[in-house]
Amino acid sequence: MKSKTPYESNSDHLSPNRNIAPITTEINDEGALVIGGCDLPTLASRYGTPLYILDELTLRATCRGYIKALKNHYKGSSLPLYASKANSSLVLSKLVSSEGFGLDVVSEGELITALESGVKGEDIFLHGNNKSIEELSLAYDNDVTVVVDNNHDLDCLEEIVSSKPARLMLRLTPGIECHTHEYIKTGHLDSKFGFDPDQFEEVLLRLKNAPWARLTGLHAHIGSQIFELQPHRDLAVVLADALKLARDFGHPVDDLNVGGGLGIRYIKEDDPPSIDEWVAVISRSLEEACMERKLELPRLICEPGRSLVATAGVTLYRLGSRKVIPGIRTYLSVDGGMSDNPRPITYQSLYTACLAEAPLASGVETVTIAGKHCESGDVVIKRLELPPSKSGDVLVVFSTGAYNSSMSSNYNRIPRPATVMVQNGQSDLVQRREVPEDLIRLDVLPSRFGAVK
Ligand SMILES: *Cc1c(COP(=O)(O)O)cnc(C)c1O
């Protein structure tokens, strides 16, 4: 009774990052789009719009894709971490840890989310180029590994450490260029993150004379939304050299963390490697580099963020006003925009969308999907082919599971959308929608301004 959609671009269910739509996407007898067994027009009516949807099966399939690839390709032990900045919530922490993942966090808020959801401290890693004393203390008290970014981290840690040594990993700037947006590159030498290669020996020496510290790992992350495999090959070699040096200094380094960065398919033209290929390339080059240097294999840690959650998410909007500028452009405005998805205005990111009730209908016009914020740059999709549409129709924007909710704002005092997780025909609210009262709850009116009405 149900047919597949044109948005499913390959049948590799362990690598959803190569699809545009979640793996459970179908079309029902009424011709409407269905994800996780739930039809999208019904979800839009029930929960309101804009609405973030997360497909549980896609999330689990992606986790299993990483776990399986690591088992198949890497001879040593391994631990994948979810870079929770991509989309941090109690339900996502629980879900990925139930699949065998640890968690990366970069702030007190993300750390509390991970701990509250029941993830053990030893499976959590704290990143950041300017961690606060509070963040470091919370990490230390909970046996979280601190990924040391700079000497300031070490100065602060030295102050707070008491009886037990702190578990540390060192972040290196590997000096590797990759082709992605400038704002999401992190591996080149001119980066705010990590120790420069020429600081490395000095830090190893400092830690050798620091009984309060236990250096257990090395880390590097070269950037995000990367389609090339060569930079990851190069990274494995840089890290193996660093591993040799750290072990020569006598540090008990057993963890090598290669970061995240695998890209996903936002539009038809995107062609990222599969999870399996990415893990295979990293495993092979790390094994070779370790063999050449006669190093015992470290535990391989990787930290996917985007590729773990992006494809599992879609955003539902309702179409509102239409402005036709003859010969120039037709604007269709939706009830959200840059506050729920700041990626287009920040990185000129491209997205694909369709009408929830007519996903297969062919396009009759080219439109620009505009948001409702007071910014001309608030555009969700610059060029989209759409069938006939009217105000009130539900628009489905694909691959919004990563860096949408987590980067959302209240610009124009627009409440953030709810998030609903779907699975087997069931929908569960996993993050409630903000209401206008949420937006003024932190405002303080000094008494000389008179009472609030
Ligand atoms: C952002 C980030 C990641 C995740 O990157 P993705 O491209 O989303 O996979 C992993 N590690 C670190 C240190 C990061 O900052």
Side-chain angles (χ1 to χ4, degrees):
M1 80 156 203
K2 285 169 177 167
S3 57
K4 290 283 172 195
T5 72
Y7 302 102
E8 183 129 16
S9 38
N10 82 93
S11 56
D12 181 1
H13 273 194
L14 290 181
S15 204
N17 69 311
R18 290 175 49 73
N19 289 346
I20 287 175
I23 61 174
T24 62
T25 306
E26 298 171 308
I27 292 169
N28 67 13
D29 291 344
E30 286 75 51
L33 209 61
V34 171
I35 293 177
C38 299
D39 82 81
L40 301 185
T42 304
L43 291 182
S45 304
R46 176 157 171 211
Y47 296 99
T49 53
L51 182 66
Y52 296 126
I53 311 271
L54 286 172
D55 179 44
E56 184 172 337
L57 264 184
T58 303
L59 291 165
R60 292 196 185 277
T62 315
C63 290
R64 286 166 199 179
Y66 272 104
I67 300 259
K68 189 171 163 207
L70 285 165
K71 285 219 167 71
N72 284 351
H73 296 295
Y74 190 63
K75 293 198 185 75
S77 63
S78 56
L79 175 69
L81 309 175
Y82 167 46
S84 68
K85 70 172 197 256
N87 194 344
S88 171
S89 66
L90 291 177
V91 74
L92 280 172
S93 293
K94 268 246 190 270
L95 188 150
V96 300
S97 61
S98 77
E99 292 290 341
F101 273 61
L103 252 80
D104 254 13
V105 298
V106 296
S107 68
E108 186 178 16
E110 288 181 7
L111 177 50
I112 288 173
T113 306
L115 291 170
E116 284 285 310
S117 75
V119 182
K120 289 205 293 292
E122 67 201 55
D123 294 328
I124 304 177
F125 295 73
L126 175 68
H127 284 279
N129 64 301
N130 193 20
K131 305 173 189 77
S132 69
I133 292 279
E134 292 73 23
E135 286 164 341
L136 290 167
S137 302
L138 187 65
Y140 175 70
D141 292 343
N142 286 283
D143 296 321
V144 166
T145 302
V146 175
V147 186
V148 175
D149 203 271
N150 49 49
N151 277 306
H152 180 67
D153 272 350
L154 291 178
D155 297 343
C156 295
L157 278 164
E158 200 164 2
E159 301 259 307
I160 58 176
V161 168
S162 49
S163 53
K164 61 182 181 187
R167 286 160 47 118
L168 307 181
M169 193 172 244
L170 284 183
R171 178 168 184 164
L172 308 176
T173 312
I176 292 172
E177 288 281 345
C178 54
H179 294 104
T180 188
H181 194 282
E182 191 185 345
Y183 296 174
I184 51 178
K185 273 186 197 176
T186 53
H188 54 308
L189 287 177
D190 180 9
S191 163
K192 70 172 178 172
F193 297 108
F195 287 98
D196 287 339
D198 58 5
Q199 291 179 291
F200 187 47
E201 284 201 35
E202 206 179 302
V203 183
L204 291 176
L205 193 61
R206 175 174 181 182
L207 288 176
K208 196 176 161 68
N209 300 313
W212 57 268
R214 186 174 163 78
L215 179 61
T216 57
L218 301 175
H219 167 273
H221 168 69
I222 55 176
S224 203
Q225 185 60 358
I226 301 170
F227 288 180
E228 310 149 286
L229 289 169
Q230 190 57 39
H232 289 100
R233 246 179 233 123
D234 299 343
L235 176 63
V237 173
V238 171
L239 282 174
D241 277 335
L243 178 65
K244 174 149 178 26
L245 195 60
R247 285 185 182 166
D248 287 348
F249 264 82
H251 289 293
V253 175
D254 190 40
D255 285 345
L256 259 202
N257 184 334
V258 297
L262 175 62
I264 72 123
R265 181 176 219 149
Y266 286 99
I267 55 170
K268 212 168 64 257
E269 293 75 17
D270 289 339
D271 189 19
S274 70
I275 291 170
D276 193 71
E277 287 173 283
W278 188 82
V279 169
V281 158
I282 289 169
S283 302
R284 202 172 316 125
S285 33
L286 187 55
E287 283 170 6
E288 280 170 16
C290 285
M291 186 126 70
E292 280 164 19
R293 290 161 186 76
K294 301 196 167 46
L295 293 168
E296 209 171 295
L297 279 188
R299 178 166 73 155
L300 172 57
I301 297 184
C302 61
E303 314 169 310
R306 184 190 313 270
S307 59
L308 208 68
V309 292
T311 315
V314 303
T315 302
L316 307 186
Y317 300 101
R318 275 193 203 278
L319 297 179
S321 64
R322 167 186 289 261
K323 176 176 180 179
V324 182
I325 311 171
I328 298 184
R329 191 182 294 282
T330 296
Y331 284 101
L332 290 188
S333 292
V334 293
D335 50 0
M338 61 184 281
S339 61
D340 62 78
N341 184 358
R343 293 190 66 257
I345 201 168
T346 313
Y347 314 116
Q348 296 80 49
S349 311
L350 305 175
Y351 283 90
T352 309
C354 70
L355 294 180
E357 276 167 299
L360 295 178
S362 30
V364 296
E365 59 174 350
T366 303
V367 300
T368 292
I369 302 296
K372 64 175 285 165
H373 301 82
C374 294
E375 290 273 332
S376 291
D378 177 26
V379 162
V380 182
I381 300 178
K382 208 155 191 177
R383 286 180 61 85
L384 180 67
E385 300 290 322
L386 269 193
S389 64
K390 58 183 188 310
S391 176
D393 285 352
V394 175
L395 186 77
V396 187
V397 178
F398 292 97
S399 43
T400 61
Y403 304 113
N404 276 223
S405 173
S406 65
M407 293 179 92
S408 65
S409 75
N410 288 130
Y411 182 48
N412 292 154
R413 292 229 148 170
I414 307 262
R416 287 186 178 78
T419 303
V420 165
M421 192 171 278
V422 292
Q423 166 264 139
N424 200 20
Q426 185 182 329
S427 63
D428 295 296
L429 187 68
V430 293
Q431 210 154 48
R432 76 162 173 81
R433 182 179 301 283
E434 285 177 340
V435 292
E437 296 79 74
D438 287 324
L439 302 173
I440 53 172
R441 80 185 189 281
L442 301 177
D443 287 8
V444 179
L445 198 58
S447 59
R448 67 193 153 84
F449 287 85
V452 182
K453 76 170 173 62

